[in-house]
Amino acid sequence: MSRPRKIVVAVTGASGAPYAARVLDFLRDEAAELGLEPHVVFTKFGRLVWADEVGTDPAEAYPFPTYAPGDMMAPFSSGSSGFEAMVVIPCTAAAVARIASGVSSDLVSRAADVMLKERRKLVLVVRESPYSLIHLRNMVAVTEAGAVVMPASPSFYSAPEGVEQLLDTVTARVLDQLGIDNDRMRRWTGALVGHGRKS
Ligand SMILES: Cc1cc2nc3c(=O)[nH]c(=O)nc-3n(C[C@H](O)[C@H](O)[C@H](O)COP(=O)(O)O)c2cc1C
């Protein structure tokens, strides 16, 4: 039997914690079946915004190893630990700046730095609006270094019904980028399915 694929889910302090919750819910239900081993880290403000926007206790909700934001002893702070992919969801403009400048001053930015230096998959689900020139330049820098920037921008062409389906127009594409099979959204087949507003 092959070893599980180890992945990092990092939650920073941008609005959009429900996106992270949808990804972690999916992994709680499917990780074993899909041969995945998720590890989780919250920044201080990631926990604060999660508490406000989601409200659950992640330690109770998820069985994954979870690390403190300053815990440089976490396995994924070294490239030798063999983590294949990392997603920062949601990702603050501040986290993008730390990653873009290589300031590995906390576990999230160190782990992201490791992903880039090891040429592994790094997905940043950035949430800020509007963007300043500094934000845009930092997103160019991380893209040039190999990261994938996916703005937390929902789409409507799959005719999502309700907030969870709307969130999943983002999280399905995030899971796609991480190489994780999922049926979290109705896929484009060439046919329009929205038919305008019903009321
Ligand atoms: C309620 C709340 C919502 C926030 N939303 C955003 C946001 O959408 N995008 C962003 O870049 N920062 C946002 N911030 C600011 C970040 O939390 C702040 O810059 C923090 O220092 C980021 O730290 P971190 O990157 O370690 O999580 C928000 C802060 C609060 C308290």
Side-chain angles (χ1 to χ4, degrees):
M1 199 174 127
S2 59
R3 279 182 302 155
R5 290 176 57 215
K6 293 189 278 190
I7 60 171
V8 183
V9 179
V11 182
T12 66
S15 185
Y19 291 113
R22 290 298 290 165
V23 167
L24 290 171
D25 287 353
F26 175 89
L27 293 172
R28 179 191 56 210
D29 298 341
E30 307 290 342
E33 182 78 15
L34 294 172
L36 297 167
E37 184 185 314
H39 293 234
V40 179
V41 52
F42 284 77
T43 64
K44 176 183 165 192
F45 284 97
R47 274 196 185 278
L48 185 149
V49 178
W50 175 287
D52 191 50
E53 296 184 349
V54 178
T56 57
D57 178 352
E60 281 179 13
Y62 307 110
F64 312 128
T66 300
Y67 304 85
D71 183 2
M72 291 299 181
M73 303 296 280
F76 46 85
S77 68
S78 167
S80 66
S81 58
F83 279 71
E84 282 187 19
M86 172 175 179
V87 58
V88 186
I89 179 169
C91 183
T92 60
V96 179
R98 293 195 296 275
I99 296 164
S101 61
V103 177
S104 299
S105 53
D106 66 335
L107 180 55
V108 172
S109 53
R110 168 60 187 168
D113 201 46
V114 166
M115 290 292 148
L116 294 177
K117 81 185 176 72
E118 301 290 340
R119 309 297 196 269
R120 299 195 186 131
K121 191 85 184 195
L122 175 63
V123 177
L124 306 179
V125 185
V126 177
R127 214 315 303 183
E128 187 47 284
S129 183
Y131 293 134
S132 71
L133 182 59
I134 293 168
H135 301 152
L136 292 165
R137 284 194 170 132
N138 284 335
M139 285 192 271
V140 169
V142 295
T143 301
E144 286 174 340
V148 176
V149 173
M150 300 186 75
S153 305
S155 61
F156 296 85
Y157 60 84
S158 60
E161 291 172 21
V163 172
E164 287 194 344
Q165 286 188 15
L166 193 64
L167 292 167
D168 286 344
T169 65
V170 171
T171 63
R173 305 291 286 123
V174 168
L175 293 168
D176 291 350
Q177 279 294 322
L178 295 171
I180 299 172
D181 279 343
N182 72 93
D183 57 0
R184 275 284 169 112
M185 72 177 284
R186 186 186 297 167
R187 304 295 173 147
W188 175 249
T189 61
L192 293 167
V193 296
H195 310 304
R197 287 178 61 89
K198 305 281 186 307
S199 57

